[in-house]
Amino acid sequence: MRKIQVEQIISAVESLCIRSNIELPQDVRIALDKALEDEASPLGREIIKDIIKNTEIAKEEYIPICQDTGFAVFFLKLGQDVQIVGGNLNDAINEGVRRGYTNGYLRKSIVTDPFLKRVNTKDNTPAIIHTEIVPGDKLTITIAPKGGGSENMSALRMLKPADGVEGIKNFVIETVDKAGSNPCPPIVVGVGVGGTIDMTTLIAKKALLRPLGEHHPQPEVAALEKELLEEINKLGIGPQGFGGTTTALAVNIETFPAHIASMPVAINIQCHVARHMEVEI
Amino acid sequence: MAKTISSPLTEDIINELKSGDRVLLNGIIYTGRDSAHKRLVEMLNRNEELPVDLKGQVIYYVGPCPAKPGAVIGSAGPTTSGRMDAYAPILLEYGLKGMIGKGLRSQAVKDSMVKHGAVYFAAIGGAGALLAQCIREAEVVAFPDLGPEAIYKLKVENFPLTVVIDRNGNDLYATGRDKYKKI
């Protein structure tokens, strides 16, 4: 058994919280640069220029790209030969979040309960933690801070197997169309198909972690990603919804085997501040 | 080319601004989002005096990040305006003249804007660092207990905005899309 001290996890998480909110992944920057070249609307190009300038200011000033520094969502891959010592794993993640959001001057956006008092927890805890046990003796921590504006435009539908691929396409287009300017386009569209409602939504969120421009390994799924991106960009919504040809930067689809009776589809919408960062301990 | 305007907005400026214009705003604006709106409207319903007089003023839907030591404010981009739709007509009737946010507004808000002569501007959603640079002064003036949702009085300089809905009810979110829609 390899031993990992909780202190090591806490400081890794603290740093991930701060860095992921300030440093935009390179693949997103590349996608924005390409969007600036391709965008047909002059106002849309001005907006994309400001979006890029914003990411540069964030890095120079070392302040968050967006004030909504999100719900701290974690994906952990815990090697089965790892022993956590000095405390427990979930507490360590939450302590890292507490320190990161406080010491990094990030906004605390979490309230204690959803519909009673809604009192701010003041340290952005609790985090949302998805843990997978994997072979090996490493711990991989991925953070994907998720803003409320784009999350609110996400959707789930229990389609019938007979709805087929057309049903998936219609649902995705309808969801993006309805969201319009609300989720801060250009957006990234994460789609999960298959499994049960919990798995469908989980893989839709995981789809957002895949680098933009990288497609699903299955050619039919990759083709659907490309087709949906083209169709979404014909909606006319454009940067910030002011009209244009760049409504989405990418569509990433993940699939899971389905029950003979079901074809659930989840759509997780992500704004252009498509933040995520990974560290291996 | 962006027009330079100042806040509070005069009747002349309001009449001049057209949906789709890019503007640079200078002057005083007030922040307010979900919880602050709820409280303001509750106070108006009870005929109480507001902690900030919003007559003739501009409100910015934002919940900023905390300021780093030595900074005026943390990142401060707009939040989704639609969540304030239930409250906006009441504030417009009271005398609010401008709203800054991002995203779609309801027909009730648009009707109220036309009736009372107000403008809806969008700031770039997700551009919190860039927008924070245009904020020169920030002071909490009401509801400090709400943390990021407290009402701040902000002094802005060349704050970049786009007029989405003008006082005649023209909506860039609809007209802009129509221009580029291909399906």
Side-chain angles (χ1 to χ4, degrees), chain B residues 137-156:
Chain B
E137 290 170 27
E139 177 196 356
V140 174
V141 289
F143 313 144
D145 59 300
L146 294 179
E149 293 202 63
I151 297 185
Y152 288 71
K153 182 181 181 182
L154 305 179
K155 190 176 172 198
V156 296

Side-chain angles (χ1 to χ4, degrees), chain A residues 5-12 85 92 95 99:
Chain A
Q5 294 285 340
V6 288
E7 263 311 319
Q8 210 181 334
I9 298 169
I10 294 169
S11 62
V85 291
E95 181 56 26
R99 291 187 197 173

Side-chain angles (χ1 to χ4, degrees), chain A residues 87-107:
Chain A
N88 83 61
L89 180 60
N90 286 353
D91 285 353
I93 300 288
N94 278 308
E95 181 56 26
V97 168
R98 197 167 284 128
R99 291 187 197 173
Y101 277 73
T102 307
N103 300 338
Y105 300 93
L106 308 181
R107 196 180 79 182

Side-chain angles (χ1 to χ4, degrees), chain A residues 49-68:
Chain A
K49 269 187 212 163
D50 275 357
I51 286 173
I52 292 171
K53 194 171 153 198
N54 179 65
T55 64
E56 286 164 358
I57 293 170
K59 217 170 164 184
E60 279 161 25
E61 301 285 322
Y62 221 66
I63 57 173
I65 302 164
C66 175
Q67 77 292 336
D68 186 350

Side-chain angles (χ1 to χ4, degrees), chain B residues 53-67:
Chain B
D53 192 6
L54 292 172
K55 274 202 179 78
Q57 300 295 336
V58 175
I59 204 160
Y60 179 24
Y61 304 144
V62 59
C65 281

